[in-house]
Amino acid sequence: MDNFKVIYKILRYLEKNMGNDRFDIESVSAERMNISFERWEQLLIMMQDEGYIKGLVLSNGLSSIYRHITEPIRPQITIKGLEYLAENSLMGRAKEALKMAGEIL
């Protein structure tokens, strides 16, 4: 699956579950996203680095050059993440409208 689709799906789920104390990370797990755990983990870390989510606790292992997420995994969407969803939703609608306009012409 495309990395940006995974990011969008994760952010959309986090948005829908804002304030839900029973948030289940398994709903957006690597398995559910159909990607490797390593890719999923690095995407979450990048999302936090860019300010789209917060709440991850990261560690630097001695045996790896990559940072890793430590338990518990409880990401929360940020204002920047909400803006990303809004912008991409608008872009998707504009793209569909242009496609339809092209078919009509």
Side-chain angles (χ1 to χ4, degrees):
M1 181 180 288
D2 178 15
N3 291 329
F4 291 107
K5 287 181 183 177
V6 172
I7 289 168
Y8 188 86
K9 284 184 176 189
I10 291 171
L11 288 175
R12 177 61 81 205
Y13 182 79
L14 293 176
E15 176 197 30
K16 288 180 182 179
N17 286 279
M18 283 181 6
N20 181 358
D21 286 336
R22 289 172 270 151
F23 167 74
D24 181 13
I25 193 66
E26 290 302 315
S27 298
V28 291
S29 68
E31 261 185 44
R32 287 264 173 95
M33 297 292 116
N34 201 26
I35 60 174
S36 70
F37 177 81
E38 293 80 11
R39 178 175 297 276
W40 176 83
E41 182 179 49
Q42 293 309 307
L43 285 173
L44 283 175
I45 291 169
M46 285 190 283
M47 290 166 62
Q48 179 161 293
D49 288 347
E50 292 299 317
Y52 296 129
I53 63 173
K54 65 179 184 175
L56 299 179
V57 178
L58 307 177
S59 67
N60 288 335
L62 296 175
S63 62
S64 176
I65 60 171
Y66 296 102
R67 294 176 294 162
H68 296 282
I69 300 171
T70 60
E71 298 283 339
I73 303 173
R74 294 194 180 128
Q76 299 172 331
I77 194 166
T78 64
I79 293 291
K80 191 172 179 179
L82 292 171
E83 289 170 349
Y84 178 91
L85 287 176
E87 289 170 7
N88 280 291
S89 180
L90 290 172
M91 292 297 285
R93 282 189 231 140
K95 182 179 168 183
E96 288 302 314
L98 288 172
K99 261 195 224 176
M100 289 178 66
E103 289 173 6
I104 293 171
L105 298 175

